[in-house]
Amino acid sequence: MARKIILDIDPGIDDALALCLSLFDPNWEIVAVTAVGGNVSPTLATRNTQALLAYFDPGRSPRIGAASEPDHGLPVQGRFADSADDLKVAALPVAELRTPHPSEKVIVDEVRSAPHAVTVVALGPLTNLARAIQRDPEFSALVGRIVIAGGAVQTGGNITPAAEFNIFCDPLAARVVFSSAAPKTLIPLDASNKLSLGLGFLNELPEETNKVGALFRKLLSAKFRNYRLELGRETIHLHDTLALMAVACPELFRFVEMSGDVETAGELTMGATVFDRRAAPAWRHNNLEVAVSVDAGAIHQEIVRRLRQAAESVGDVSVNL
């Protein structure tokens, strides 16, 4: 039986790649794709999610969840000053949803329809997951597992010196999720920073005559430009795609059980993830399975393999992007 997956995303180039890889895994059933504000605004996240699903046109269409503003707003609109990590370079067409359903409702509905069988892969801020937990008191006991792209254990942040982007965008929501009883796996920067891809990665993508190749040659070329202009780097990270690989290939990761929490009030540390790593921990609960290392080379090869698999399923372009 195919594994049931909900993808909670804020696309975003990295999220778009993760979505593509997930839709064409023969061992997975993507029951829903829910949008959340983060890399882009909630409205644009919903639009991008719809546009990507229409472009990839999977054999079985998942439910779509519409994003809404976090209770306290988004503190940033993108990883870079000009929100350059969105999908505008691809200019994908989209038809608006007639009756959009809130992402948290879609998540709760799907988890309730298949108790203990649904894995939620959260690749953006945790707004939707916190609302699902608050909406349904039984949610934490019914979800199979929540896999989270976010946080940092020993390394610094990537949006502030202390905080990782996804957690920083909605730290109050992250704290709700971290403290819940749901089974949780965290893929922090300590693991995702290990996968660093150079320009040669573009040559490993499917040909531009293919729909998958055409889209990601354009999007990832833009991402390389953004990293060079904004960060002065010639390589990119794919934090969200790597987190998806933790679901697909957990054997390529090493996990440690940890007790973690989220800072929600610090002037300099808002959004920081804090773990009790003392010799005699006072936090007795191990509430997170945390990825501490990864076989980056094997993950790289697996991403390329899955891209080619998706390309075969999607087919060639009929018009140029």
Side-chain angles (χ1 to χ4, degrees):
M1 183 178 296
R3 184 175 184 179
K4 294 181 183 295
I5 303 284
I6 294 173
L7 219 61
D8 191 54
I9 58 175
D10 59 334
I13 293 170
D14 192 356
D15 302 72
L17 181 59
L19 175 62
C20 178
L21 300 186
S22 69
L23 287 172
F24 302 101
D25 185 322
N27 299 312
W28 290 358
E29 178 188 358
I30 308 302
V31 296
V33 181
T34 53
V36 65
N39 277 313
V40 292
S41 69
T43 299
L44 191 51
T46 302
R47 183 197 184 282
N48 286 350
T49 297
Q50 295 170 235
L52 287 166
L53 286 169
Y55 183 81
F56 295 132
D57 191 22
R60 183 186 183 280
S61 296
R63 292 184 67 187
I64 298 175
S68 55
E69 284 286 338
D71 294 341
H72 301 279
L74 280 172
V76 289
Q77 289 298 317
R79 201 175 301 270
F80 302 130
D82 61 353
S83 299
D85 203 24
D86 66 25
L87 307 183
K88 61 190 173 191
V89 68
L92 297 176
V94 65
E96 297 296 328
L97 288 173
R98 288 175 178 265
T99 54
H101 296 288
S103 288
E104 61 269 23
K105 180 182 185 304
V106 172
I107 292 170
V108 168
D109 287 349
E110 292 300 324
V111 167
R112 277 207 162 267
S113 69
H116 315 296
V118 177
T119 299
V120 182
V121 186
L123 302 182
L126 297 178
T127 309
N128 294 335
L129 272 296
R131 288 175 175 170
I133 289 166
Q134 293 164 338
R135 182 186 186 106
D136 184 352
E138 295 184 336
F139 179 84
S140 294
L142 294 176
V143 68
R145 180 163 288 274
I146 299 172
V147 179
I148 302 163
V153 181
Q154 293 181 306
T155 190
N158 64 354
I159 189 66
T160 74
E164 180 274 334
F165 180 85
N166 285 343
I167 304 299
F168 179 79
C169 278
D170 196 343
L172 292 172
R175 191 171 209 189
V176 169
V177 177
F178 272 46
S179 63
S180 75
K184 298 175 293 294
T185 299
L186 185 74
I187 315 300
L189 293 176
D190 308 67
S192 59
N193 279 343
K194 300 259 190 319
L195 179 66
S196 187
L197 299 171
L199 280 166
F201 181 58
L202 296 175
N203 296 325
E204 299 180 275
L205 300 176
E207 295 299 322
E208 60 185 357
T209 54
N210 179 270
K211 288 183 74 174
V212 169
L215 179 64
F216 288 110
R217 282 174 181 266
K218 181 167 286 190
L219 291 180
L220 289 169
S221 292
K223 192 173 184 73
F224 275 106
R225 285 195 300 272
N226 298 340
Y227 265 62
R228 184 171 63 252
L229 291 172
E230 300 286 345
L231 303 175
R233 294 183 46 178
E234 298 296 330
T235 58
I236 62 171
H237 292 306
L238 295 173
H239 302 289
D240 300 325
T241 300
L242 184 131
L244 182 79
M245 291 296 99
V247 183
C249 314
E251 69 278 4
L252 299 179
F253 293 74
R254 185 169 74 86
F255 299 95
V256 173
E257 294 288 334
M258 293 187 185
S259 297
D261 205 341
V262 179
E263 177 58 69
T264 61
E267 181 179 351
L268 299 178
T269 57
M270 176 76 78
T273 46
V274 181
F275 300 85
D276 192 348
R277 294 180 286 119
R278 293 173 289 184
W283 300 354
R284 299 297 181 184
H285 57 289
N286 286 327
N287 60 335
L288 290 161
E289 177 187 66
V290 180
V292 294
S293 64
V294 59
D295 185 338
I299 292 291
H300 181 166
Q301 294 174 14
E302 184 65 14
I303 290 171
V304 171
R305 185 190 73 79
R306 285 171 172 264
L307 269 170
R308 292 173 179 165
Q309 176 180 277
E312 292 177 3
S313 299
V314 173
D316 290 343
V317 294
S318 54
V319 293
N320 291 330
L321 285 174

